[in-house]
Amino acid sequence: MDRTTDPWGARTPYAPGTVWPSRVDLQLAAGLSEADVQRWVPSASLLHSNGDAMDVAVRDGRIVGVRGRAGDRVNHGRLDIKDLFGWQANASPDRLTVPLVRQGGQLVETDWDTALDAVAERCRSVLEEYGPGAVGFYTSGQLFLEEYYTLTVLARAGIGTNHLDGNTRLCTATAGEALKESFGCDGQPGSYQDIDHAQVIALWGHNVAECQPVLWMRILDRLHGADPPALFVLDPRPTPTAREATIHLAPRPGTNLALLNALLNEIITTGRVDHAFVAANTVGFDRLAERVSSRTPEWAAQICDIPAAEIRRTAELIADTDRLVSTVLQGVYQSHQATAGAVQINNLHLLRGQLGRPGAGVLQMNGQPTAQNTRECGANGDLPGFRNWANPRHVAELADLWNIDPAALDHGGPPTHALEIFRLAETGALKFLWISATNPAVSLPDLARIRETLARPGLFTVVQDIFPTETTAFADVVLPAATWGEKTGTFTNADRTVHLSEQAVDPPGQARADLDIFLDFARRMDLRDRTGRPLITWHDAPSAFAAWQRCSKGRPCDYTGLSYQLLREHGGTQWPATPALPFGTQRLYADGRFWAHPDTCETYGRDLNTGEPATEAEYRALNPHGKAVLRPADYQPPPDSPDGEYPLWLTSGRTIYHFHTRTKTGRVPELQHAAPEVWVECSPADAHRHGLTDGDMAAVTTARGTVTARVRITGIREGLLFLPFHYGYWDHGPDHAGSPPRHDRAANELIPTRLDPASNQPVFKTATARLAPLGQLGQLD
Ligand SMILES: Nc1nc2c(c(=O)[nH]1)N[C@H]1C(S)=C(S)[C@@H](COP(=O)(O)OP(=O)(O)OC[C@H]3O[C@@H](n4cnc5c(=O)[nH]c(N)nc54)[C@H](O)[C@@H]3O)O[C@H]1N2
Ligand SMILES: Nc1nc2c(c(=O)[nH]1)N[C@H]1C(S)=C(S)[C@@H](COP(=O)(O)OP(=O)(O)OC[C@H]3O[C@@H](n4cnc5c(=O)[nH]c(N)nc54)[C@H](O)[C@@H]3O)O[C@H]1N2
Ligand SMILES: [Mo]
């Protein structure tokens, strides 16, 4: 079977409450069989958040394939096509293999000592002249736990800066915030096993078929088995996910909250609330009921452009079951009123008591493979261990652990978010920016502005990557990293499953593990605690893991029961895992105990529409006993909506074949061949109106820029365009000699900078644009 044309492979149907049958997926280099493999090294997928466990095949010191692990709780042996083929990127001839420093405008090769001394010297001089507020770190959702924790201690305790965030800000900041607002603390309530029991599965803005294909295989196998669940999909596009839906609603972009408020109202007015659960486990019911009381299906129908009868049918479907699983992703997190919307999905589960039982759970999904670790280790604009920056006792706990003065961690406000870090760089306030394992010159909104910022002469930029990218092109120092398969560490998927990923082969050339790079930098900076001892007391992945375990102790993400050995033997294990419960915890909140008590919660909450934080006193008054909080939010129309100049909505997202800015998947022949160039999806009516047919080249223009793309006519909502955001410029082909590069391919040329007020996650999904046949656009002829 060719998995590039049949991405989900053969079905293994199963009935509710039974074990998902295993199916082992294998891909080896051409001509090799399993007998040719000399070693199998345990790891898990690093190309999405599902955490699919696999063994990496090694022969003669090279990676020659992968095989899914049948015994792992997450994937039961399956792998998706990015994983089946993606390992080939590790051996690309254009990997970064030596450090580079900028000299006379050019990046030239150098050795590690020269490169890291240059970085440390600049960092020290910026600190002396401007203080820690001039130093920033922008990291990833793709490193390992040990690396994030080290970076966090280095940046927050060592340098003393508040400016540390991850690209998780673009990805799952809203997931974290929505969990904090409803349950007091980050941490995924549900478990993938809930799919095995569900009667109704609701996918909110989540194209799981393309983005978590193995989770989709699990859902597909239920759909093909006895007593299948009903599937609800909310997405304005007819995705492969939507095609299998019992009910597919395709709302106007940016209107999730209107629909959700109508669903909540319908559940309340039709007497479907589980009042016993609500009374025992929540606060805020009366306020929520009052706020949604006028939000009828007819009201939402006008806003969402969906028939009211469909909204009623949806309310019945999701409220007439005792086993509801929801997943939420970027169609909510990157859309208008992101946190407000995601929180209403939590509310829906709380009103119905759909939490903490087999088949009753909510998955506020992650996207990136290690985004959970960025968040729990505090490399994301939060404090490690889901501690509350506004709670002095939590701050003191960290200061104690790191043996530093608590004042060094008190910056009078929350940690700086990524877009603010870039704004500080733009204004010149930030002088030193270290970017690791992310490619902002393609993935941030409003790229022209990002390029200008990165090119500022007063900004010293360190970029740590495995390939030359659009971002390394702006760097003052480029550090070549080792990656998955070439280094050891742990990471945690979207349902809290921790995997150990072990080194299988040597990194290419002089490339070094990100952990070693951070540790080496910390040594060169001579970072000390308050008694003058080295601040960072660990030296490799296992000792970094042990340090993190101490930090996680007693917190919701408790890792103290885990060890590399346990992970090796037991495979994926869900935190919290304590010495008493070393094999982990399947569901959070099964006992109705939340991490929401004022003394333990991660946040005192905020207004979902303004982001205005509540004080400790206000939170204590609202939630003295630490129950789940039902937080309402009113629908507000999106600030930009189609007009005469930009008459269409523009959204963006993913295809199954590529990962993000394609630095890996673009170098894999099978994947690149399957999706070689950027396209724009539009409806038949919009194509016709613009004189376009399938395959024509068209220009998509917003107030920010123009992208040229091939037209793909689909059943997408009329009035909406979709661009994949995968295509930047590293393989754009040679420009005409001497002419400046044309920035006409990346979706983010077009996206303005707008943030969700509660999570500060950029709104990538609701821009407005116009479409034109390329021939009519004079300057691009
Ligand atoms: N193949 C592949 N898989 C991946 C990734 C990848 O790059 N490629 N990346 C990983 C990462 S980091 C992430 S975050 C996840 C993302 O996974 P998803 O969130 O599933 O992917 P997206 O395509 O970004 O967005 C999902 C859907 O949101 C819809 N949408 C747009 N606007 C709205 C709206 O206003 N309302 C609603 N309800 N829906 C809307 C889009 O039509 C789109 O189909 O995927 C992960 N998995
Ligand atoms: N318009 C639009 N924009 C979006 C989105 C969207 O849906 N629409 N989605 C957003 C989301 S959800 C996300 S997650 C971001 C993703 O955006 P990015 O994080 O910028 O995307 P990647 O291409 O994954 O970048 C990761 C970089 O790390 C490098 N790398 C890989 N492995 C390693 C390693 O082990 N060590 C080091 N040092 N480097 C490594 C890769 O080569 C690559 O350059 O994009 C966001 N931007
Ligand atoms: Mo993401």
Side-chain angles (χ1 to χ4, degrees):
M1 180 199 326
D2 179 0
R3 287 286 296 277
T4 59
T5 52
D6 177 15
W8 304 289
R11 296 281 54 78
T12 51
Y14 71 123
T18 63
V19 175
W20 187 29
S22 60
R23 178 192 92 191
V24 174
D25 293 345
L26 167 81
Q27 185 70 46
L28 294 174
L32 294 190
S33 74
E34 282 178 89
D36 300 313
V37 176
Q38 293 161 341
R39 277 189 310 130
W40 293 97
V41 181
S43 180
S45 172
L46 217 64
L47 294 171
H48 48 75
S49 59
N50 214 51
D52 300 328
M54 65 175 92
D55 288 318
V56 178
V58 180
R59 184 180 164 84
D60 299 334
R62 292 170 57 91
I63 298 179
V64 293
V66 290
R67 183 177 67 191
R69 297 184 76 173
D72 196 90
R73 63 171 303 277
V74 170
N75 54 328
H76 295 216
R78 290 160 191 78
L79 293 175
D80 91 76
I81 49 171
K82 287 197 309 319
D83 294 313
L84 286 174
F85 298 106
W87 50 270
Q88 299 172 88
N90 277 45
S92 296
D94 58 344
R95 281 285 300 271
L96 290 169
T97 55
V98 271
L100 308 172
V101 291
R102 194 167 293 279
Q103 270 172 18
Q106 299 293 314
L107 283 170
V108 298
E109 296 192 352
T110 187
D111 55 62
W112 275 104
D113 271 337
T114 311
L116 281 181
D117 278 343
V119 174
E121 246 162 61
R122 179 60 74 107
C123 186
R124 226 176 278 121
S125 74
V126 167
L127 283 174
E128 269 159 31
E129 200 168 340
Y130 304 98
V135 176
F137 295 86
Y138 180 48
T139 191
S140 184
Q142 299 171 44
L143 297 179
F144 290 160
L145 176 152
E146 295 77 357
E147 297 169 332
Y148 297 129
Y149 185 59
T150 302
L151 178 60
T152 296
V153 179
L154 183 169
R156 296 205 190 285
I159 306 288
T161 180
N162 206 24
H163 310 321
L164 163 64
D165 199 4
N167 68 354
T168 44
R169 184 64 56 188
L170 321 181
C171 183
T172 54
T174 301
E177 193 61 36
L179 293 168
K180 285 191 252 178
E181 295 298 336
S182 298
F183 307 116
C185 190
D186 196 344
Q188 191 68 269
S191 166
Y192 286 168
Q193 261 131 314
D194 289 331
I195 300 291
D196 308 346
H197 302 274
Q199 239 166 16
V200 178
I201 300 174
L203 306 171
W204 308 90
H206 182 194
N207 182 8
V208 57
E210 297 200 72
C211 296
Q212 274 83 12
V214 171
L215 186 59
W216 182 238
M217 293 173 206
R218 197 165 188 151
I219 295 173
L220 274 182
D221 285 346
R222 279 293 320 276
L223 292 174
H224 282 77
D227 199 3
L231 192 67
F232 167 72
V233 174
L234 184 68
D235 194 312
R237 294 192 306 137
T239 58
T241 315
R243 283 201 286 274
E244 300 290 333
T246 319
I247 299 180
H248 169 206
L249 297 186
R252 229 177 234 135
T255 63
N256 296 321
L257 186 59
L259 175 77
L260 280 156
N261 279 342
L263 291 173
L264 292 174
N265 186 31
E266 192 65 8
I267 288 170
I268 294 169
T269 54
T270 57
R272 291 181 163 99
V273 173
D274 180 342
H275 284 291
F277 183 93
V278 167
N281 295 292
T282 71
V283 294
F285 175 74
D286 292 343
R287 203 166 51 127
L288 176 70
E290 198 269 315
R291 288 275 284 275
V292 298
S293 61
S294 61
R295 305 317 186 198
T296 60
E298 283 70 22
W299 168 82
Q302 293 293 316
I303 293 168
C304 307
D305 189 26
I306 295 169
E310 288 292 285
I311 299 176
R312 286 209 162 81
R313 202 158 76 89
T314 302
E316 277 168 27
L317 183 82
I318 57 183
D320 281 351
T321 174
D322 199 30
R323 294 203 304 272
L324 171 70
V325 172
S326 284
T327 74
V328 192
L329 202 44
Q330 301 307 353
V332 176
Y333 302 161
Q334 293 175 345
S335 189
H336 176 56
Q337 295 191 287
T339 309
V343 162
Q344 302 319 310
I345 297 160
N346 294 338
N347 287 347
L348 201 154
H349 278 258
L350 289 166
L351 288 188
R352 292 277 313 126
Q354 295 296 309
L355 202 70
R357 284 183 288 113
V362 68
L363 291 159
Q364 296 280 354
M365 290 295 294
N366 295 338
Q368 292 178 93
T370 76
Q372 189 61 50
N373 308 108
T374 318
R375 304 213 303 261
E376 64 207 24
C377 291
N380 73 321
D382 279 312
L383 294 185
F386 301 149
R387 287 176 175 85
N388 185 350
W389 64 266
N391 182 338
R393 290 169 300 279
H394 286 202
V395 173
E397 223 171 80
L398 282 177
D400 203 37
L401 179 75
W402 296 334
N403 195 26
I404 59 166
D405 181 358
L409 291 177
D410 180 5
H411 298 273
T416 317
H417 66 81
L419 278 289
E420 177 65 8
I421 293 177
F422 274 82
R423 200 192 63 80
L424 291 172
E426 184 178 39
T427 64
L430 198 85
K431 311 282 183 196
F432 175 104
L433 177 60
W434 187 328
I435 297 169
S436 48
T438 181
N439 190 7
V442 183
S443 56
L444 283 178
D446 199 353
L447 290 181
R449 184 174 167 197
I450 296 302
R451 282 189 293 268
E452 242 172 65
T453 301
L454 289 173
R456 275 185 64 95
L459 179 71
F460 185 86
T461 335
V462 182
V463 181
Q464 184 167 317
D465 205 292
I466 64 174
F467 290 112
T469 66
E470 295 81 349
T471 303
T472 59
F474 290 99
D476 293 287
V477 176
V478 176
L479 303 176
T483 188
W484 172 95
E486 301 159 357
K487 61 180 185 180
T488 291
T490 54
F491 59 96
T492 307
N493 80 346
D495 88 334
R496 290 174 282 106
T497 306
V498 186
H499 282 109
L500 173 66
S501 181
E502 302 209 57
Q503 180 174 1
V505 298
D506 288 333
Q510 298 171 35
R512 294 170 71 183
D514 295 276
L515 178 65
D516 295 340
I517 300 172
F518 292 143
L519 288 172
D520 193 339
F521 171 73
R523 267 191 305 273
R524 281 171 212 260
M525 291 296 291
D526 196 25
L527 302 177
R528 302 269 160 180
D529 69 11
R530 67 173 149 199
T531 43
R533 283 189 302 243
L535 174 73
I536 294 181
T537 50
W538 49 96
H539 55 276
D540 61 5
S543 53
F545 185 78
W548 162 248
Q549 286 180 303
R550 290 192 289 279
C551 182
S552 75
K553 186 167 186 226
R555 294 299 299 165
C557 49
D558 195 320
Y559 279 64
T560 52
L562 297 179
S563 65
Y564 280 17
Q565 195 53 31
L566 181 141
L567 293 170
R568 234 169 244 140
E569 285 163 10
H570 185 247
T573 306
Q574 289 171 289
W575 64 244
T578 57
L581 276 176
F583 300 116
T585 310
Q586 203 172 107
R587 294 177 188 85
L588 301 186
Y589 314 137
D591 52 4
R593 290 220 310 273
F594 300 92
W595 283 88
H597 190 277
D599 294 335
T600 54
C601 66
E602 189 179 3
T603 179
Y604 299 133
R606 58 184 67 244
D607 184 286
L608 301 179
N609 275 339
T610 64
E612 190 59 38
T615 63
E616 178 180 349
E618 286 165 334
Y619 185 73
R620 279 189 189 277
L622 170 75
N623 195 19
H625 306 297
K627 297 185 177 187
V629 184
L630 292 163
R631 284 184 195 277
D634 293 328
Y635 170 75
Q636 297 169 340
D640 310 311
S641 59
D643 57 16
E645 198 175 3
Y646 301 109
L648 300 168
W649 288 106
L650 168 67
T651 198
S652 59
R654 298 163 162 77
T655 165
I656 193 166
Y657 300 109
H658 283 302
F659 185 63
H660 298 170
T661 72
R662 284 182 316 116
T663 65
K664 293 175 184 171
T665 53
R667 288 176 167 89
V668 174
E670 292 83 355
L671 301 173
Q672 178 61 13
H673 179 73
E677 59 171 12
V678 64
W679 72 89
V680 55
E681 281 176 40
C682 75
S683 71
D686 288 318
H688 182 74
R689 203 167 293 131
H690 292 89
L692 289 161
T693 54
D694 208 57
D696 283 354
M697 288 303 288
V700 184
T701 302
T702 71
R704 294 280 166 275
T706 292
V707 162
T708 62
R710 204 170 287 287
V711 172
R712 198 180 272 186
I713 298 177
T714 70
I716 191 171
R717 250 194 88 89
E718 196 177 329
L720 173 64
L721 305 176
F722 170 87
L723 278 174
F725 85 104
H726 303 297
Y727 300 86
Y729 306 104
W730 62 263
D731 62 343
H732 204 189
D735 270 290
H736 309 295
S739 67
R742 248 175 20 199
H743 293 114
D744 61 354
R745 199 158 85 140
N748 282 320
E749 305 294 351
L750 307 183
I751 310 287
T753 307
R754 274 220 295 115
L755 304 180
D756 180 66
S759 67
N760 291 308
Q761 179 161 349
V763 183
F764 288 111
K765 297 286 197 252
T766 56
T768 59
R770 67 169 178 263
L771 182 69
L774 199 50
Q776 292 176 12
L777 203 86
Q779 75 270 27
L780 290 174
D781 271 350

